[in-house]
Amino acid sequence: MESNISNLANLLQSCISKKAHLAGKILHARIFRLWLSSDTFLSNHLIELYAKCDNITNAYQVFSKIPQRNIYSWNAILGAYCIHRNLQDAYGLFQQMPERNTVSWNTMISTMIRNGYEMEALDIYDSMMLEGVRPSYITLTSVLSACSALLDAEYGRRSHGFVIKVGLDRNMFVVNALLSMYSKCGLTRDAIHVFRDIPDPNEVTFTVMMSELARTNHLREAADMFKLMLRKGLHIDSVSLSSILGVCTKGGFGEIGLSRHNDGFSFNVPGEELHGLSIKLGFETDLHLSNSLLDMYAKNGDMDNAEKIFVNMPKLSPVSWNIMIAGYGNKYESDKAVEYLSRMQCYGVEVDNVTYINMLAACVKSGDIKTGRQIFDCMSCPSLTSWNAILSGYMQNADYKEALKLFREMQFQHLRPDRTTLAIILSSCAEMRLLDTGKQVHVASQKFGFHDDVYVASGLINVYSKCGKMELAKYVFYKLPELDVVCWNSMIVGFSINSLDKEAFSFFKQMRQFGFFPSEFSYATILSTCAKVSSLFQGQQIHAQIAKEGYVDDIVVGSSIIEMYCKCGDVGEARCFFYMMPGKNTVTWNEMIHGYAQNGRGDEAVCLYEDMIESGEKPDDITFVAVLTACSHSALVDEGVEIFNSMYQKHGIVPMLDHYTCIIDCLGRAGRFHEAEVILDQMPYKDDPVVWEVVLSSCRIHANLGLAKRAAEELFRLDPQNSAAYVLLANMYSSLGRWDDARAIRDLMIDKQVRKDTGYSWSECRDGMQIMLENDNHPVASSEVN
């Protein structure tokens, strides 16, 4: 009899290992015929077999018919319920158990953790300790895993103490769990301390440590860990390589060299060398490692190498496709991303939420908002990240109206916005000057608990500033419990755009007094304010601060310094600074060219434009506005015509309104009206009043009455309340002695109630005082900006 039981048990164990459900049922029938159904030992095996073969009903039937259940019977059926995630029944069964051993507690704790009930798992562990059951290394590994998931460092530290007390601080499973717990809780030093206390760490320990250091962006430490692993001659497996490739992806090695001389490996370019090492070690077919290599190349923008790996992979997963789509998205190649999406669907690979998010991000980054919206509409249940991505796309494409419309739809779906959502919508409100909508978003931000969020507050300040409500902007600013540089910058920008220059300078000084160090944007903003009010004295002081704090080489700040000096009339200082700058971009060149243009130094502006072309810097539409303005103001007509014609022919830039205005002004000032009229008849901006104002002004200088009348008629049609057309035409009649015509124009102004705009002039005193004089006998107004 004992021999039969032993043989049947061995056969059942083989069925369990192979999940051979049919063979197991045949054995069950044989056990029944041999009258061995009541044997507890065989019944326990049958429960385990049915559990492994997803037949929980039969497992429970076997359990219910055991006349003498032992602890193994209870653990077997408990394990069956846990395998099938029948947590409620499992917990009820656990409570009914006449006795429980460490296996019972471990089964329940690990099952709760696997199903996301970490807090409940720790409660069960506490009950286990109260009952005096000694935990095993499996128990403590599970408990530390729960602490990691909950980021509960305090509970984790207590558990660490118990680990040391029971002598499990050398158990590699427990040690690895401790490393993971401390790293995920952001306690990297504690993790390193645990690692250093391990007498003989293995490759698993090193891999866990590297993974956690990389995950928490301690990239240099992760790289050092890999070098130490190599020096110790430990086995390098695919998991280790995947972990260190994550460090390469984030740029963790930089210029650090790696070497493993005894194996002949020399790592000078870590990512590519690790790729070579993976091939040498025979991991070409490892899917996880191949995906890590794909990710490394894709995130570093090397899509050519990513393509080579992709096409040679023997097996592809949805992760592989998603990495390629995200990689092309990061390179702003939405067409390639769409191609991969189509191929993915053709191969029958299921498109998941990650695919849609990556595809949406690719379209948004590439500016292809139309395709992005189609992708978004295909998503059955878009996540908040997806909503933010499409909203951001509309905002970046200046389609603020559609962004607001989509935000309302998001509210109808009762999806709670986050700080990013609110910031995007507030930016759209600011650009459209929608004060009431901005106020509604303000109320919504308070409702959702963002009343003290500096990110949202900056957006609110921006809305109120652009709507001219600086008192409301100050209210938001002063209500914040904690401030940051961004909020200060928002206020300074707000004062500047509302011509409250004294307040802008005051806030800039207060920001420094409160211990906030100005950022590049802070300096660029305050320099623009100096430029706007032509305050050279203030600008020189700010320049000195910039030099002292080391921002003088920043391109954005440098461009603002050039703008400030040029607008304050000190072109020589601007030029000196320009040539001293170690790095220049298109904006920098544009500022200097525009500076020459503003100060009547057209020849130098054209020469600098030619230098820019020779340097390889690509001009943009603003470059051409600057250089054409210079040609216009300095009577460089032929040069201006040549540059205008080269815009599209040589540089592929289609002329816009400002370019047409500049070239027409240039031709008009020189009296070349025939050429100007040819351009007027051909250009697509005939209904813009600015162009006709320029034409009328030039006609007055050269007494071209015929074209002047045409220009004036266009202006009367397009902008009947603009006084410029009436005044210019009346003055032209007066200069020609046609007093009756001049009087008729002035009478027309009176009939249409057109009011002449007031003119102003500025001057700066040594003490920084700005004097503003009006030309219509109004009182003198002054404001101190120093």
Side-chain angles (χ1 to χ4, degrees):
M1 180 65 73
E2 289 184 7
S3 175
N4 281 340
I5 293 173
S6 178
N7 289 335
L8 288 168
N10 289 335
L11 290 170
L12 281 171
Q13 189 59 53
S14 177
C15 292
I16 291 168
S17 302
K18 298 175 182 178
K19 292 186 178 181
H21 188 224
L22 182 59
K25 291 187 79 171
I26 293 170
L27 283 172
H28 190 180
R30 183 170 179 78
I31 290 167
F32 186 78
R33 285 198 301 271
L34 292 172
W35 297 92
L36 295 175
S37 299
S38 60
D39 184 86
T40 306
F41 183 62
L42 291 176
S43 295
N44 292 345
H45 277 71
L46 284 168
I47 294 169
E48 188 178 353
L49 167 70
Y50 286 127
K52 282 285 182 72
C53 295
D54 298 328
N55 192 339
I56 191 70
T57 304
N58 281 4
Y60 187 76
Q61 285 175 353
V62 172
F63 173 78
S64 64
K65 293 177 181 178
I66 301 174
Q68 293 181 337
R69 300 169 188 153
N70 59 17
I71 185 66
Y72 300 103
S73 310
W74 285 94
N75 284 340
I77 193 62
L78 177 64
Y81 279 130
C82 289
I83 287 172
H84 292 274
R85 299 187 179 184
N86 196 339
L87 300 185
Q88 189 172 359
D89 289 344
Y91 189 72
L93 189 70
F94 179 75
Q95 297 287 32
Q96 295 172 24
M97 291 176 72
E99 63 172 316
R100 292 179 290 223
N101 61 7
T102 306
V103 174
S104 317
W105 291 97
N106 287 349
T107 301
M108 207 63 225
I109 291 170
S110 60
T111 301
M112 298 302 282
I113 292 170
R114 280 198 305 272
N115 288 277
Y117 295 99
E118 290 87 1
M119 190 69 73
E120 290 79 359
L122 293 182
D123 290 340
I124 294 172
Y125 172 68
D126 289 337
S127 300
M128 176 183 181
M129 297 295 285
L130 288 171
E131 290 193 15
V133 181
R134 182 183 177 88
S136 67
Y137 74 92
I138 297 173
T139 319
L140 291 165
T141 301
S142 298
V143 167
L144 290 167
S145 174
C147 294
S148 297
L150 295 170
L151 302 179
D152 192 341
E154 184 181 350
Y155 201 110
R157 286 186 190 279
R158 291 204 307 270
S159 301
H160 188 182
F162 186 79
V163 165
I164 296 170
K165 181 179 177 180
V166 298
L168 289 172
D169 52 325
R170 294 293 182 267
N171 182 283
M172 297 312 298
F173 292 98
V174 177
V175 166
N176 291 340
L178 277 169
L179 290 175
S180 180
M181 183 273 296
Y182 280 127
S183 299
K184 286 183 178 177
C185 290
L187 302 172
T188 308
R189 289 185 180 179
D190 294 79
I192 293 172
H193 182 74
V194 171
F195 181 84
R196 286 174 179 167
D197 284 344
I198 303 171
D200 192 20
N202 60 17
E203 60 271 15
V204 176
T205 312
F206 271 98
T207 302
V208 169
M209 195 66 205
M210 281 191 302
S211 299
E212 293 306 321
L213 287 169
R215 189 189 63 79
T216 53
N217 288 321
H218 291 84
L219 304 180
R220 188 179 185 88
E221 291 87 344
D224 290 342
M225 196 66 64
F226 186 66
K227 289 192 289 182
L228 179 60
M229 189 177 180
L230 290 170
R231 286 198 297 271
K232 284 181 172 287
L234 292 173
H235 173 67
I236 305 295
D237 60 13
S238 61
V239 180
S240 306
L241 286 171
S242 294
S243 298
I244 203 63
L245 280 168
V247 178
C248 295
T249 299
K250 296 180 179 180
F253 283 107
E255 299 298 324
I256 304 171
L258 299 174
S259 63
R260 185 178 179 176
H261 300 294
N262 58 331
D263 284 342
F265 302 138
S266 175
F267 299 122
N268 298 315
V269 186
E272 293 181 357
E273 293 295 334
L274 287 170
H275 184 186
L277 177 58
S278 70
I279 295 171
K280 184 169 185 176
L281 295 176
F283 295 130
E284 300 101 316
T285 59
D286 187 284
L287 180 60
H288 180 67
L289 180 58
S290 296
N291 284 336
S292 297
L293 284 165
L294 269 184
D295 192 49
M296 184 269 295
Y297 282 122
K299 284 184 177 172
N300 283 290
D302 188 354
M303 294 309 295
D304 291 335
N305 271 324
E307 286 268 11
K308 290 175 184 175
I309 293 172
F310 186 85
V311 297
N312 288 310
M313 287 174 67
K315 183 181 179 182
L316 296 169
S317 69
V319 174
S320 315
W321 293 96
N322 289 340
I323 290 170
M324 294 301 290
I325 290 170
Y328 279 114
N330 289 331
K331 292 199 74 176
Y332 307 99
E333 296 182 30
S334 62
D335 53 338
K336 289 289 289 184
V338 170
E339 177 191 324
Y340 266 83
L341 176 64
S342 300
R343 286 172 58 189
M344 181 179 181
Q345 293 172 320
C346 288
Y347 279 99
V349 182
E350 186 177 353
V351 176
D352 58 17
N353 199 44
V354 176
T355 313
Y356 282 123
I357 291 173
N358 288 344
M359 193 63 237
L360 180 58
C363 294
V364 169
K365 287 178 180 177
S366 305
D368 186 2
I369 194 65
K370 183 179 179 181
T371 306
R373 182 58 186 269
Q374 290 172 352
I375 296 293
F376 180 81
D377 290 339
C378 287
M379 300 172 75
S380 57
C381 187
S383 64
L384 182 58
T385 303
S386 304
W387 281 94
N388 287 345
I390 191 68
L391 287 170
S392 176
Y394 281 122
M395 186 190 72
Q396 291 170 21
N397 282 269
D399 194 347
Y400 309 115
K401 187 176 180 180
E402 190 62 31
L404 290 169
K405 181 181 176 182
L406 197 61
F407 177 64
R408 291 191 186 96
E409 185 179 329
M410 180 181 175
Q411 290 177 299
F412 290 143
Q413 296 190 18
H414 305 291
L415 187 63
R416 180 188 175 92
D418 64 2
R419 65 204 300 253
T420 304
T421 320
L422 294 171
I424 292 169
I425 296 307
L426 286 169
S427 180
S428 299
C429 292
E431 293 300 326
M432 295 182 72
R433 308 299 194 269
L434 298 176
L435 179 61
D436 290 339
T437 307
K439 287 180 177 180
Q440 290 172 12
V441 178
H442 190 172
V443 172
S445 70
Q446 292 177 322
K447 176 185 174 183
F448 292 122
F450 295 103
H451 54 281
D452 57 354
D453 187 282
V454 291
Y455 194 56
V456 175
S458 296
L460 287 168
I461 291 169
N462 190 28
V463 172
Y464 291 135
S465 299
K466 289 192 174 178
C467 292
K469 301 294 182 181
M470 283 310 298
E471 288 303 316
L472 289 175
K474 285 194 282 187
Y475 172 80
V476 172
F477 180 83
Y478 287 122
K479 288 286 283 184
L480 283 170
E482 291 185 14
L483 296 167
D484 67 355
V485 175
V486 177
C487 289
W488 284 98
N489 288 345
S490 299
M491 286 301 297
I492 294 167
V493 170
F495 286 126
S496 181
I497 62 177
N498 284 282
S499 299
L500 299 169
D501 307 306
K502 177 181 177 181
E503 289 84 348
F505 284 111
S506 174
F507 257 67
F508 181 76
K509 291 178 181 178
Q510 285 180 48
M511 178 174 69
R512 295 179 61 84
Q513 289 167 359
F514 278 99
F516 289 92
F517 292 98
S519 64
E520 296 90 331
F521 184 77
S522 311
Y523 282 121
T525 303
I526 203 67
L527 282 167
S528 294
T529 304
C530 295
K532 188 175 66 171
V533 298
S534 301
S535 179
L536 181 61
F537 177 73
Q538 290 284 355
Q540 289 170 331
Q541 287 186 325
I542 300 297
H543 186 181
Q545 289 178 17
I546 290 168
K548 182 179 178 181
E549 294 185 16
Y551 288 112
V552 74
D553 291 338
D554 182 86
I555 291 180
V556 175
V557 175
S559 300
S560 297
I561 290 173
I562 293 168
E563 178 197 26
M564 181 273 296
Y565 278 121
C566 288
K567 286 190 175 179
C568 292
D570 194 345
V571 186
E573 189 63 35
R575 180 178 56 213
C576 289
F577 183 80
F578 174 82
Y579 285 114
M580 286 173 60
M581 287 182 71
K584 303 177 182 67
N585 63 6
T586 306
V587 175
T588 316
W589 287 93
N590 290 350
E591 288 294 355
M592 196 64 236
I593 294 169
H594 192 231
Y596 280 135
Q598 286 176 313
N599 289 274
R601 299 166 78 158
D603 289 321
E604 291 169 271
V606 173
C607 287
L608 192 62
Y609 163 75
E610 291 170 352
D611 290 343
M612 178 182 181
I613 302 299
E614 289 178 12
S615 74
E617 191 72 49
K618 186 175 175 62
D620 59 11
D621 56 329
I622 298 172
T623 312
F624 287 105
V625 170
V627 71
L628 289 172
T629 300
C631 293
S632 175
H633 290 181
S634 300
L636 302 173
V637 188
D638 292 333
E639 291 87 342
V641 171
E642 182 181 350
I643 290 169
F644 179 80
N645 290 334
S646 74
M647 280 183 66
Y648 184 73
Q649 295 171 2
K650 291 185 179 180
H651 304 286
I653 296 175
V654 178
M656 304 296 286
L657 171 63
D658 289 340
H659 305 114
Y660 281 107
T661 303
C662 288
I663 193 62
I664 288 169
D665 183 47
C666 187
L667 292 166
R669 286 171 184 254
R672 292 162 63 166
F673 291 108
H674 176 70
E675 295 169 73
E677 284 191 87
V678 170
I679 294 174
L680 280 168
D681 292 335
Q682 293 177 349
M683 73 175 187
Y685 301 101
K686 296 182 181 66
D687 288 338
D688 193 278
V690 175
V691 178
W692 295 108
E693 264 189 55
V694 167
V695 172
L696 184 55
S697 181
S698 299
C699 290
R700 182 196 169 209
I701 296 170
H702 294 280
N704 187 334
L705 189 59
L707 185 56
K709 285 182 178 180
R710 178 188 171 188
E713 288 170 2
E714 292 287 351
L715 284 168
F716 295 158
R717 176 179 66 86
L718 295 169
D719 194 3
Q721 293 301 307
N722 186 350
S723 63
Y726 300 93
V727 172
L728 286 170
L729 188 60
N731 289 344
M732 187 173 182
Y733 280 132
S734 298
S735 65
L736 294 172
R738 298 175 60 165
W739 307 109
D740 291 340
D741 291 329
R743 189 177 300 108
I745 295 297
R746 295 192 181 277
D747 290 341
L748 184 62
M749 282 183 71
I750 295 168
D751 292 342
K752 292 189 175 183
Q753 297 182 335
V754 178
R755 185 175 179 181
K756 184 175 179 291
D757 295 330
T758 303
Y760 302 91
S761 62
W762 291 82
S763 65
E764 182 177 21
C765 302
R766 289 186 179 180
D767 61 357
M769 296 289 289
Q770 297 288 340
I771 309 298
M772 182 174 70
L773 304 174
E774 297 185 341
N775 68 353
D776 288 339
N777 299 320
H778 291 295
V780 174
S782 67
S783 62
E784 185 180 354
V785 295
N786 187 19

